[in-house]
């Protein structure tokens, strides 16, 4: 799902920290994208191969989750003599795992962040290569003063993870204890899109593509909420806070894009 947004460590809440754009020297080739491209054109040709990689990885993740759900249905149909609460416990554990570790189903780099090395560093959701150039890219990002403080993100995402698991179990029960169902597949689609977005935003550090991609994350979470609500109204309402938070996060991503030079929406191939 959408990663916790990075926020300034120790920054003032009344002003934005500004910094000059950092160089991209030292990054591996696929990360040396245009850092000052405009959304209208950009510098260099669009990296079609990279777009295909992200799209293919997303489709593969959805297919993997769908196969797992279908396999569970087949397995539960053959199981007998299980304690009455065993299937429900299994469902809750599965959906809880998916809520917090869906990236395990992705072939992309969805690594998480390491702790900032100093008080002047930023706390980011994703762990990136420990090169000075990548750390500089993170530290030089200008963020709005209204961004929630770093301490808020673990509480927000822990709460959302629990609510997602509860809502999914309610849907599972409302559909006759079926894992492979339209609402749960819609949820799997949302998680897959979110994990690909995490790679774009946090590993590749492409603010323009991140701004464009977060629209898909936004649309997919509200589609999942709608699908949940159709089969169980309570499940839809329980999942709704996830949509509310991702709406706020989407506004934040677009604000960061606006404050940092409005990079191109599509990734640009390295012309060097």
């Amino acid at each position: 799902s959408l990663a916790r947004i990075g926020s300034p460590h120790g920054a003032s809440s009344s002003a934005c920290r500004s910094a000059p754009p950092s160089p991209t020297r030292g990054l591996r080739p696929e990360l040396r994208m245009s850092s000052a491209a405009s959304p209208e054109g950009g510098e260099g040709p669009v990296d079609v191969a990279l777009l295909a990689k992200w799209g293919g990885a997303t489709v593969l993740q959805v297919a993997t989750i769908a196969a797992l759900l279908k396999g569970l249905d087949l397995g539960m149909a053959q199981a007998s003599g299980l304690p009455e609460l065993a299937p429900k416990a299994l469902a809750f554990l599965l959906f809880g795992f998916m809520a917090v570790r869906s990236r395990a189903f992705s072939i992309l780099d969805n690594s998480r962040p390491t702790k900032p090395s100093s008080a002047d560093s930023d706390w980011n959701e994703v762990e990136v290569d420990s090169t000075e150039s990548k750390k500089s890219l993170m530290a030089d990002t200008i963020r709005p003063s209204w961004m929630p403080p770093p301490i808020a993100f673990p509480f927000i995402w822990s709460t959302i993870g629990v609510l997602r698991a509860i809502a999914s179990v309610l849907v599972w029960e409302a559909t006759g204890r079926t894992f492979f169902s339209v609402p749960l597949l819609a949820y799997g689609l949302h998680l897959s899109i979110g994990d690909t977005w995490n790679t774009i935003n946090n590993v590749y550090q492409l603010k323009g593509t991140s701004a464009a991609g977060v629209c898909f994350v936004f649309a997919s979470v509200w589609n999942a909420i709608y699908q949940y609500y159709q089969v169980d109204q309570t499940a839809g309402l329980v999942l709704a806070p996830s949509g509310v938070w991702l709406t706020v996060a989407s506004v934040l991503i677009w604000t960061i894009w606006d404050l940092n030079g409005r990079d191109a929406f599509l990734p640009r191939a390295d012309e060097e």
Side-chain angles (χ1 to χ4, degrees):
S1 61
L2 187 64
R4 292 186 288 257
I5 316 294
S7 57
H9 186 84
S12 168
S13 60
S14 60
C16 297
R17 178 174 54 83
S18 62
S22 60
T24 56
R25 290 185 59 189
L27 298 183
R28 58 182 185 268
E30 65 267 29
L31 295 179
R32 291 204 307 267
M33 304 293 178
S34 170
S35 60
S38 67
E40 290 79 14
E43 298 176 0
V46 173
D47 196 330
V48 178
L50 189 56
L51 290 173
K53 175 183 177 180
W54 293 336
T58 306
V59 171
L60 179 59
Q61 185 173 355
V62 173
T64 302
I65 292 174
L68 173 63
L69 297 178
K70 186 64 176 179
L72 285 171
D73 279 340
L74 295 175
M76 295 302 293
Q78 298 299 320
S80 59
L82 293 175
E84 184 178 351
L85 293 179
K88 191 170 185 177
L90 173 64
F92 185 81
L93 290 174
L94 170 67
F95 296 130
F97 177 82
M98 290 174 61
V100 298
R101 288 292 183 270
S102 60
R103 62 184 183 273
F105 301 104
S106 175
I107 63 172
L108 296 175
D109 179 5
N110 281 291
S111 48
R112 289 309 194 244
T114 54
K115 188 175 181 179
S117 57
S118 71
D120 295 327
S121 300
D122 288 335
W123 181 274
N124 275 265
E125 166 63 5
V126 227
E127 179 180 304
V128 294
D129 293 346
S130 58
T131 60
E132 290 304 317
S133 51
K134 284 298 291 292
K135 291 178 180 178
S136 180
L137 279 172
M138 289 160 46
D140 288 343
T141 298
I142 304 170
R143 295 175 171 85
S145 59
W146 55 266
M147 175 180 283
I151 195 173
F153 292 101
F155 294 104
I156 292 172
W157 281 105
S158 296
T159 301
I160 286 177
V162 173
L163 292 178
R164 284 176 169 179
I166 293 173
S168 298
V169 170
L170 290 175
V171 167
W172 171 75
E173 289 192 307
T175 55
R177 295 197 164 191
T178 301
F179 288 100
F180 191 84
S181 64
V182 171
L184 294 177
L185 289 174
Y187 176 56
L189 173 63
H190 163 62
L191 294 178
S192 301
I193 291 174
D195 288 329
T196 298
W197 182 89
N198 287 338
T199 297
I200 295 169
N201 184 65
N202 301 310
V203 176
Y204 286 84
Q205 300 277 313
L206 297 176
K207 295 180 178 66
T209 310
S210 172
V214 80
C215 297
F216 293 94
V217 181
F218 172 85
S220 66
V221 71
W222 284 106
N223 174 58
I225 292 168
Y226 171 77
Q227 297 294 342
Y228 275 37
Y229 191 83
Q230 290 298 104
V231 299
D232 187 295
Q233 293 185 1
T234 301
L237 294 175
V238 171
L239 189 62
S242 182
V244 173
W245 166 242
L246 290 179
T247 300
V248 175
S250 298
V251 174
L252 177 58
I253 291 299
W254 275 86
T255 303
I256 291 174
W257 170 78
D258 183 57
L259 291 173
N260 289 272
R262 297 192 171 193
D263 291 353
F265 290 135
L266 297 176
R268 304 289 164 172
D270 185 8
E271 293 186 311
E272 296 180 5

